[in-house]
Amino acid sequence: MRARTMALAMCAAMHIAASAGTLEEREAKLSANLRCMVCQNQTLAESNAPLAADMRQQIREQLAQGRSEQQIRDYFEQRYGAFVRYDPPFMPSTWLLWLGPFVLLAAGFAAMWRILSHRNRAERTPLTPAEQARAAALLGGDAP
């Protein structure tokens, strides 16, 4: 009887340790996908800000309560907006975030094309005889 109780206690302890490991893994995965609202260019996992530590603690508590990862993500989105996600959804409020870099790249190419085409169309005026003589003297050659 005593051996069975010990075996049962060992199995329960192993199950608790295994579930704690999965909770830590799930917390790390969620922390890597959510943005620190203080640092804004770091994930919660990377940030050392006090708010990031509080947010990681909230994730742990909600996972311990049995909430799914999607429910936790939705909670943080409701509280902080879509910006809290490192991969925000494509919706009207995030269009600029998704399309902004491509628009800026296209604008840069358009400006470069305009400058280069204008430069090629500019009329080239020939040098005056005085400018030709000065250029020849600078280059060490004979003037025409």
Side-chain angles (χ1 to χ4, degrees):
M1 182 73 168
R2 191 173 198 178
R4 271 194 230 173
T5 307
M6 287 293 282
L8 187 58
M10 290 289 283
C11 286
M14 288 174 40
H15 178 69
I16 290 171
S19 67
T22 58
L23 279 177
E24 289 173 4
E25 291 170 3
R26 291 174 62 199
E27 185 264 330
K29 182 181 173 186
L30 276 169
S31 294
N33 289 325
L34 294 174
R35 183 183 314 271
C36 174
M37 299 310 292
V38 175
C39 307
Q40 295 189 358
N41 62 343
Q42 290 182 325
T43 64
L44 288 179
E46 298 169 336
S47 177
N48 292 326
L51 179 63
D54 290 343
M55 291 172 78
R56 287 191 300 266
Q57 182 61 34
Q58 285 181 351
I59 291 172
R60 278 187 225 104
E61 290 171 2
Q62 289 186 22
L63 285 171
Q65 292 172 0
R67 293 200 174 150
S68 72
E69 292 176 14
Q70 185 60 44
Q71 288 174 325
I72 296 170
R73 220 176 279 119
D74 291 343
Y75 166 78
F76 282 107
E77 257 189 85
Q78 180 183 9
R79 189 166 183 180
Y80 298 106
F83 183 74
V84 76
R85 290 177 56 179
Y86 235 71
D87 59 341
F90 190 76
M91 54 190 209
S93 64
T94 61
W95 283 354
L96 184 61
L97 187 63
W98 282 101
L99 300 176
F102 298 109
V103 170
L104 289 174
L105 184 66
F109 278 129
M112 185 173 70
W113 177 78
R114 186 171 182 202
I115 290 168
L116 291 176
S117 66
H118 178 63
R119 189 179 289 173
N120 288 338
R121 280 188 264 143
E123 291 184 26
R124 298 175 193 247
T125 56
L127 295 177
T128 63
E131 291 172 334
Q132 287 178 351
R134 183 166 186 260
L138 288 173
L139 293 174
D142 296 326

